[in-house]
Amino acid sequence: DLIVGARRGSPLAVGYGPNENYLGSDSYALKSMTNKITYLEDNEFCIIKKDEVEFYDAEGKKVNKKILELSKDDQNYDKGDYKHFMAKEIDEQPTTIKNCVNEYIDKVNNTINIFNFPWKRDDINSILLIGCGTAYHSCLMAKYWLEQFTSVDVNVDIASEFRYRKNRFKKDCLYIFISQSGETADTYAALDLCKKNNVKTCSIVNVVESSIARDSDLVLPIYCGPEIGVASTKAYLGMLVAQLVLAKHWDKENKLNITFEDIKSIPNLVKESLKCENEILKIAKGISKKNDIYFIGRGLDYALAAEGALKLKEISYLHAEALAAGELKHGTLALIEDGTPVIVTASQVHLLDKTTSNVQEVKARGAFVIAVGDKNSHKLEKIADQFIRLPSAHEILSTIISIIPLQFIAYHVAKLNGESIDQPRNLAKSVTVE
């Protein structure tokens, strides 16, 4: 009837119940049992009995800890009539993105609700976006947006790489950390390193009680609610929208050429894009038994390709690879043969001719091309073997909604192959260890 828990590095949380208490990695691990949570800090330990919990610091001195109360809606989250959480979470995206947009856009005054932003734009001369996996892919997208309207250097780093090289920390750089759970071990360690060097830190997370959120100077939640499926869907879109809102907040001259009405239209565009599912079912049958699938794109579409490939490989276990389309000639074109699936997105009109040229290259080697675009992509539609048409929108929004068919492809290929979609082998939802 006794548990002793200690934290060093990986997150640790205590949950409180009636005549019983729990120990787990984070709030998601405990939410089915309780909505009352306390997080331990590094080098703290706890002594847990069924009716009592005591906390101590590294010297053994007793400390008082705050009990956080989580939303009861999160606690009761289940699959409903869906076979998998991933299917439910794909379908929830219009609602969750609407929640995110509503939290950040003042519809009356057409302003961004980030009133607690602690720095002036002139105080920031460079930006570094840091994340892992899906969060890293969202950073690649945001880099393009931030570069469009600012003269500051914008870079992206993988958290696990950032930690192990010589960093020149800059007081005028804003370090932005992206994590769905807010407990990603490498991302948290990178944040901790930044905090020790007294630089500006901001986090974009789904769990506002998380370690990364608690230790950042500024937190921008994505308001997507719990995400259970290991393959992130609605949280990825939430990360994109939150970063787009941050870009819009800074873009006083509107060099992005995106309006508040455009941002407010994202939930409806996502809802319209979900209608492509029946079309995807036919496509999934054609590629479910293939060994290699390639995703290509240019600019923003390359960042999208990286996320699409990750979705497919992590739940279907098929080899999927993303490439900047112009890099095909530098090696990978040798792997294209008759019937090789190549999935291409073309959300940016100014790059359409170049992308179409790359598609012609793979077609000439026998590739089976699946293209995603809108009414402006007619050149690509003519030569693709299958074309998925999405609603027309601003280029930035087109790239955001283009992930929907890629999510469906991953889901339905894995489902056809009978794989464990919500809990793929060797993977965890919150990567809380290195």
Side-chain angles (χ1 to χ4, degrees):
D1 294 327
L2 177 71
I3 303 175
V4 178
R7 172 178 173 172
R8 179 170 292 168
S10 301
L12 196 65
V14 172
Y16 303 87
N19 203 35
E20 56 188 19
N21 296 305
Y22 319 96
L23 195 67
S25 60
D26 55 30
S27 61
Y28 277 178
L30 300 172
K31 69 183 183 59
S32 63
M33 296 168 282
T34 179
N35 70 323
K36 294 181 179 178
I37 302 286
T38 293
Y39 283 96
L40 279 77
E41 302 299 330
D42 255 4
N43 299 318
E44 290 181 341
F45 66 95
C46 60
I47 296 173
I48 304 174
K49 300 175 183 177
K50 65 180 181 180
D51 55 359
E52 182 183 19
V53 181
E54 294 178 337
F55 297 94
Y56 299 86
D57 64 17
E59 283 72 45
K61 294 178 182 176
K62 201 169 182 179
V63 293
N64 294 319
K65 302 287 291 182
K66 187 182 291 185
I67 297 175
L68 304 170
E69 194 155 332
L70 310 177
S71 165
K72 289 191 175 181
D73 292 339
D74 290 0
Q75 192 181 357
N76 297 325
Y77 189 72
D78 58 38
K79 287 197 289 276
D81 294 331
Y82 291 87
K83 189 171 182 180
H84 301 100
F85 277 110
M86 185 178 177
K88 182 180 183 185
E89 287 156 7
I90 290 172
D91 275 0
E92 283 178 344
Q93 288 176 115
T95 301
T96 57
I97 296 308
K98 187 174 183 179
N99 292 341
C100 186
V101 169
N102 287 345
E103 289 289 341
Y104 284 115
I105 303 293
D106 182 333
K107 293 183 178 179
V108 176
N109 300 311
N110 269 350
T111 55
I112 304 287
N113 287 330
I114 308 181
F115 300 120
N116 58 339
F117 198 80
W119 312 287
K120 295 177 182 176
R121 200 175 104 176
D122 292 343
D123 296 336
I124 298 168
N125 289 319
S126 61
I127 298 167
L128 184 59
L129 300 153
I130 300 170
C132 298
T134 287
Y136 171 72
H137 297 155
S138 77
C139 294
L140 294 175
M141 198 88 76
K143 171 181 164 66
Y144 280 89
W145 301 337
L146 292 166
E147 286 175 335
Q148 291 300 312
F149 68 86
T150 179
S151 59
V152 305
D153 291 332
V154 184
N155 291 297
V156 179
D157 217 334
I158 298 171
S160 57
E161 295 294 322
F162 173 82
R163 296 175 56 198
Y164 296 110
R165 67 164 189 270
K166 184 176 179 180
N167 285 290
R168 293 173 177 83
F169 292 97
K170 301 175 184 176
K171 301 294 183 185
D172 59 355
C173 178
L174 177 60
Y175 296 80
I176 303 178
F177 300 85
I178 322 293
S179 170
Q180 186 279 138
S181 67
E183 301 292 350
T184 309
D186 284 313
T187 308
Y188 179 72
L191 168 64
D192 188 53
L193 191 59
C194 288
K195 294 297 289 182
K196 288 173 180 173
N197 284 274
N198 298 312
V199 293
K200 301 175 179 68
T201 60
C202 169
S203 63
I204 295 175
V205 298
N206 196 26
V207 184
V208 293
E209 306 88 8
S210 62
S211 302
I212 290 173
R214 296 198 310 274
D215 286 1
S216 300
D217 297 328
L218 173 68
V219 184
L220 300 176
I222 64 175
Y223 300 105
C224 283
E227 185 178 68
I228 307 303
V230 166
S232 181
T233 51
K234 63 180 181 177
Y236 169 75
L237 271 190
M239 293 169 190
L240 291 182
V241 171
Q243 289 177 96
L244 179 59
V245 165
L246 180 60
K248 179 67 176 171
H249 174 72
W250 273 328
D251 184 18
K252 302 303 182 186
E253 294 83 27
N254 195 24
K255 292 181 180 177
L256 276 174
N257 192 31
I258 192 166
T259 68
F260 287 100
E261 291 305 314
D262 288 330
I263 297 174
K264 286 186 278 188
S265 73
I266 297 175
N268 283 335
L269 288 169
V270 173
K271 187 176 181 180
E272 284 296 306
S273 302
L274 290 173
K275 294 177 181 177
C276 72
E277 184 173 14
N278 287 335
E279 203 174 345
I280 299 298
L281 280 166
K282 301 170 190 173
I283 293 170
K285 289 176 184 176
I287 64 175
S288 62
K289 301 305 176 187
K290 299 291 184 180
N291 294 322
D292 304 289
I293 299 97
Y294 296 93
F295 290 74
I296 64 172
R298 285 176 175 265
L300 289 168
D301 287 303
Y302 167 63
L304 182 66
E307 176 61 11
L310 176 63
K311 286 284 120 352
L312 184 59
K313 66 181 133 186
E314 67 183 331
I315 63 169
S316 73
Y317 315 143
L318 300 178
H319 169 246
E321 186 176 340
L323 292 160
E327 285 293 292
L328 277 166
K329 293 187 287 292
H330 300 280
T332 307
L333 202 57
L335 298 175
I336 304 298
E337 56 188 18
D338 282 346
T340 301
V342 174
I343 299 171
V344 55
T345 54
S347 62
Q348 298 169 279
V349 175
H350 69 286
L351 292 174
L352 185 59
D353 287 343
K354 291 289 185 183
T355 302
T356 303
S357 175
N358 296 132
V359 169
Q360 287 169 332
E361 288 173 342
V362 297
K363 284 282 289 182
R365 275 81 178 176
F368 182 85
V369 174
I370 301 154
V372 178
D374 59 21
K375 67 179 183 182
N376 295 314
S377 313
H378 51 87
K379 290 182 182 177
L380 192 55
E381 185 174 5
K382 285 180 181 177
I383 61 171
D385 294 288
Q386 302 219 257
F387 185 80
I388 303 161
R389 179 173 288 198
L390 296 177
S392 297
H394 186 288
E395 276 195 2
I396 288 175
L397 307 189
S398 289
T399 313
I400 290 174
I401 63 174
S402 291
I403 193 59
I404 301 296
L406 306 189
Q407 291 173 347
F408 276 138
I409 286 172
Y411 176 75
H412 285 292
V413 167
K415 189 177 177 185
L416 284 167
N417 289 346
E419 306 299 355
S420 176
I421 290 172
D422 289 331
Q423 297 173 309
R425 68 190 183 205
N426 306 333
L427 301 177
K429 184 61 180 171
S430 296
V431 183
T432 58
V433 294
E434 285 193 64

